[in-house]
Amino acid sequence: MDIYSGVAELRAALRNCGRIVFVPTMGNLHAGHISLMTQARAHGDTVVASIFVNRLQFGPNEDFDKYPRTFQADCDKLAAAGVDVLFAPTETDLYPEPQEYTVEPPAIQHMLDGEFRPGHFRGVATVVLKLFNIVQPQVALFGKKDYQQLMVIRNMTRQLALPINIVGGETVRAEDGLALSSRNGYLSVAERAEAPRLHRLLSRIRDALRAGDTRYAELERMAVAELDQAGWKTDYVAVRQQSDLNPPSGARQALAVLAASRLGNTRLIDNIEV
Ligand code: PAF
């Protein structure tokens, strides 16, 4: 695997590389990331991963400084997964001057996670567009665990007519159902044992919806109450339309249930399609 930090060197290395498939990450890679890398191989000739902890998408009181940085272990995993090229820019490589031009997503950036992380999706969309411009992939893969992020990126790609096929990868879970996430490493032993409750609750709501229950607000309210009873601090549990993440507007809409809740100091997100 070849590793580049400079934009010019990466661009030169990617000339004549055929169809480029790109998997952007913030590192601290787990089996969810590696599954995207493995799937990437089927979509083109050269698999490019990136590792960059993007300050723009973190709020002032969020975990940018303590976000786990495990570069050497990540490189070993990427090489073992058959990744051809790793782009690992420093902050000065990617933001040599203050990033004053940004991507401002529409209303979707203010709902669900956006309500609790103001500016987050602006930061994500901006860095992803910049990475797309640098890597110029034909295909890019993102995990469905960050469901709203995937939608923001799909919509941005379509509306800005970027010639990139966006592929969503299924969430990879631990045996007890907890969605794999770099932030799971923050959990204490007791919190780790409690954490699968989130997926169990989402699965229960999915089953109720499949059985025809349409009491969306009541299902959401019961889930928040159960989490809070068990010591979580919940930002939202929401039944939404898969198409635009708005609340269900009528019959025969494909739905998803999304949640974000804090266990101790760790904010976990998860979702399930119905
Ligand atoms: O999902 C992530 O790891 C990040 O949000 C991304 C897409 C790499 C942008 O920084």
Side-chain angles (χ1 to χ4, degrees):
M1 183 175 73
D2 298 321
I3 304 177
Y4 302 93
S5 59
V7 172
E9 298 96 292
L10 179 81
R11 283 204 166 122
L14 292 182
R15 242 173 256 138
N16 307 318
C17 271
R19 200 173 151 79
I20 294 174
V21 190
F22 180 41
V23 187
T25 81
M26 297 202 301
N28 193 235
L29 304 178
H30 50 65
H33 296 112
I34 299 307
S35 147
L36 293 178
M37 305 296 163
T38 316
Q39 290 170 57
R41 177 59 53 215
H43 290 277
D45 305 302
T46 302
V47 176
V48 179
S50 67
I51 295 179
F52 181 69
V53 185
N54 174 39
R55 190 186 288 275
L56 288 192
Q57 69 190 72
F58 288 79
N61 298 318
E62 294 186 351
D63 55 345
F64 175 77
D65 287 328
K66 75 164 186 172
Y67 197 85
R69 288 154 172 92
T70 50
F71 187 69
Q72 197 45 56
D74 291 345
C75 288
D76 295 345
K77 289 178 189 169
L78 291 173
V83 167
D84 301 300
V85 173
L86 170 62
F87 179 46
T90 62
E91 280 203 280
T92 332
D93 288 316
L94 207 60
Y95 299 128
E97 53 186 309
Q99 188 69 33
E100 290 168 343
Y101 286 75
T102 57
V103 179
E104 195 68 41
I108 188 175
Q109 73 159 320
H110 303 300
M111 60 170 73
L112 300 169
D113 248 41
E115 185 185 337
F116 297 91
R117 303 188 69 190
H120 171 66
F121 290 111
R122 181 194 310 123
V124 169
T126 301
V127 79
V128 169
L129 180 62
K130 193 158 186 175
L131 289 167
F132 281 175
N133 283 332
I134 293 167
V135 175
Q136 304 212 348
Q138 277 71 50
V139 182
L141 287 87
F142 296 84
K144 282 194 190 178
K145 187 177 99 42
D146 295 297
Y147 206 78
Q148 191 174 0
Q149 165 174 286
L150 176 59
M151 183 160 294
V152 167
I153 291 166
R154 262 194 214 292
N155 293 353
M156 173 183 80
T157 303
R158 190 185 65 249
Q159 287 223 332
L160 298 180
L162 306 178
I164 303 171
N165 177 22
I166 304 296
V167 176
E170 293 304 323
T171 300
V172 177
R173 298 181 181 280
E175 267 184 22
D176 58 12
L178 178 65
L180 298 192
S181 161
S182 302
R183 292 191 168 96
N184 292 351
Y186 299 152
L187 297 169
S188 68
V189 174
E191 288 165 350
R192 175 63 189 81
E194 168 61 21
R197 185 188 299 276
L198 189 58
H199 176 60
R200 284 201 302 275
L201 263 176
L202 295 184
S203 307
R204 223 189 297 146
I205 297 178
R206 176 203 55 201
D207 294 346
L209 295 170
R210 275 189 183 154
D213 198 335
T214 53
R215 297 169 307 140
Y216 307 124
E218 180 62 7
L219 292 169
E220 293 168 0
R221 197 193 56 71
M222 284 183 331
V224 173
E226 179 175 330
L227 285 168
D228 291 358
Q229 181 74 28
W232 299 61
K233 288 202 170 43
T234 302
D235 286 346
Y236 61 87
V237 175
V239 179
R240 293 297 169 102
Q241 301 178 159
Q242 281 182 27
S243 56
D244 55 11
L245 296 186
N246 280 316
S249 56
R252 308 192 70 82
Q253 276 280 350
L255 300 177
V257 193
L258 302 96
S261 193
R262 211 173 280 278
L263 198 47
N265 292 324
T266 309
R267 187 173 186 275
L268 298 178
I269 62 169
D270 202 355
N271 64 79
I272 198 160
E273 291 179 320
V274 180

